Amino acid sequence: MSLFHSHDHHDHAGHGHGHHHGHSHHGEDAGPVGFPWRRAGLAALLVAFAVAAASLVQVRSGEATVITRFGNPARVLLDPGLSWRWPAPFEAAIPVDLRLRTTSSGLQDVGTRDGLRIIVQAYVAWQVQGDPDNVKRFMRAVQNQPDEAARQIRTFVGSALETTAASFDLANLINTDANQVRIGDFENQLRQQIEKQLLDTYGVRVLQVGVERLTLPSVTLNATVDRMRAERETIATERTAIGKREAAQIRSAAERDARIVEADATVKAADIEAQSRVEAALIYGRAYASSPQLYNLLRSLDTLGTIVGPSTKLILRTDAAPFRVLVDGPPTLSEGKQDGKAGTQP
């Protein structure tokens, strides 16, 4: 029995050994051959994808992309779409805005030609030229930092404002008389000062220059008010003198016209009076021819009207002519005829 038992034990051990050997052989075939190669391939694919993504450049519409090689602008991409570059740190892509931009100078305290101070603020509408040479020039000027362009242009315009203002008097910039204001000339001169230098230095084209704000500090304001008051007083004095001169001319012409009218009226009055005397003489003549007594009565009354006035005091006989008619009354027609007949008797 012991032999049988030993044999069984031996078989059991052999079986266990065979099982162990088979398991070890299966591990040697699966581990080193299949799994590590799949992981390495996947990692290589991810690295290749990352390199491709880092090398891809997108150029947007309205922009230029500058490819710099170790910080130096090497290529300029202008066409919208996708392009390639070497990954960092060999090459880098920097976008440059080619659209119209506006930069303000901010408030600048500058001096005019006549020694007064003004506060002025101007703006510049500018645009980077869309060609490779000017884009590279722009990048070199701003040291590969496009956002710095506005700050540098603002400083540049502030210096140009100081120079431009020194060429104009205050009255050419601020004046109640619109004909003396030369803001347009101020803007044109400011543009001439900055246009060529911005193009040569930055590759930037200036499209428009304008004055946003123009005001006066308190000291200049007081001096300006005093000057304007003196100008107003001078203008008022001149206009007063002109008014007095014109009034004298009008008055002289009116007096001359009045004298002419008065002379004409005097002549006409004399003519009318002479004509009336002639007509009165004719009427008197006709009255005397028709009735001598009536004529004598009328002439006596006319004489009384000429001699006696409102303040006249006379003491006369009432039976003497021409006052006799006041007592006797007008002669009757029969008495007149008798007197006429009596006058005709020898």
Side-chain angles (χ1 to χ4, degrees):
M1 286 192 58
S2 60
L3 179 63
F4 181 75
H5 179 75
S6 300
H7 179 75
D8 290 341
H9 178 76
H10 178 76
D11 290 342
H12 179 74
H15 178 74
H17 176 74
H19 176 73
H20 177 73
H21 178 74
H23 178 73
S24 301
H25 180 73
H26 177 73
E28 291 177 357
D29 291 342
V33 175
F35 183 73
W37 284 107
R38 284 199 302 268
R39 291 182 60 185
L42 181 59
L45 182 61
L46 292 176
V47 171
F49 181 78
V51 171
S55 301
L56 191 63
V57 177
Q58 181 181 4
V59 181
R60 295 183 176 86
S61 178
E63 289 184 351
T65 300
V66 180
I67 305 300
T68 61
R69 186 172 300 161
F70 300 109
N72 185 38
R75 292 180 294 131
V76 178
L77 305 178
L78 298 173
D79 298 329
L82 296 176
S83 184
W84 296 90
R85 65 174 174 85
W86 289 102
F90 302 102
E91 288 184 346
I94 302 176
V96 177
D97 194 349
L98 299 180
R99 294 172 297 180
L100 181 66
R101 301 177 62 182
T102 303
T103 300
S104 176
S105 66
L107 293 175
Q108 302 287 329
D109 188 350
V110 297
T112 60
R113 183 170 55 189
D114 49 355
L116 298 175
R117 307 298 297 180
I118 61 173
I119 298 176
V120 62
Q121 180 174 348
Y123 70 91
V124 179
W126 57 277
Q127 186 178 24
V128 179
Q129 294 283 74
D131 59 89
D133 292 338
N134 282 314
V135 173
K136 289 181 180 179
R137 182 180 295 112
F138 175 78
M139 290 297 291
R140 293 190 184 98
V142 298
Q143 298 179 353
N144 294 340
Q145 297 180 7
D147 294 338
E148 284 292 312
R151 185 185 63 82
Q152 295 181 20
I153 291 176
R154 184 183 300 112
T155 304
F156 193 82
V157 175
S159 300
L161 276 173
E162 183 74 32
T163 305
T164 303
S167 302
F168 291 85
D169 292 332
L170 181 62
N172 300 137
L173 303 177
I174 300 176
N175 203 308
T176 56
D177 187 0
N179 295 325
Q180 297 186 18
V181 177
R182 298 170 53 196
I183 296 295
D185 296 339
F186 183 90
E187 294 175 343
N188 291 334
Q189 185 169 335
L190 179 62
R191 178 172 181 172
Q192 291 175 4
Q193 287 197 15
I194 66 176
E195 187 171 25
K196 187 176 184 304
Q197 296 186 18
L198 285 181
L199 182 60
D200 295 340
T201 305
Y202 291 89
V204 167
R205 180 167 60 98
V206 175
L207 281 77
Q208 187 177 2
V209 176
V211 174
E212 289 184 89
R213 186 178 179 183
L214 184 63
T215 185
L216 301 175
S218 58
V219 176
T220 306
L221 181 60
N222 295 333
T224 303
V225 170
D226 294 339
R227 178 182 57 80
M228 293 174 64
R229 183 183 295 110
E231 291 178 353
R232 293 292 94 187
E233 292 176 354
T234 302
I235 294 174
T237 302
E238 292 177 354
R239 291 183 178 178
T240 301
I242 293 174
K244 290 182 178 180
R245 183 171 63 252
E246 292 179 352
Q249 293 175 353
I250 294 173
R251 190 180 300 108
S252 176
E255 291 176 355
R256 183 184 65 252
D257 295 340
R259 287 193 296 269
I260 293 174
V261 171
E262 183 179 0
D264 293 341
T266 302
V267 172
K268 290 180 181 179
D271 293 341
I272 293 172
E273 184 178 0
Q275 184 67 27
S276 64
R277 290 182 182 277
V278 172
E279 292 177 357
L282 294 175
I283 292 172
Y284 281 133
R286 288 194 299 269
Y288 180 78
S290 61
S291 177
Q293 291 81 9
L294 179 59
Y295 175 78
N296 291 331
L297 175 63
L298 293 176
R299 293 299 294 174
S300 298
L301 293 176
D302 288 340
T303 303
L304 286 175
T306 304
I307 296 174
V308 180
S311 60
T312 303
K313 295 180 181 180
L314 296 174
I315 301 175
L316 299 172
R317 293 173 53 189
T318 57
D319 57 349
F323 298 103
R324 188 175 60 185
V325 297
L326 297 175
V327 179
D328 297 342
T332 61
L333 184 60
S334 59
E335 291 178 356
K337 289 182 179 180
Q338 291 177 0
D339 292 340
K341 290 180 181 181
T344 58
Q345 292 179 358

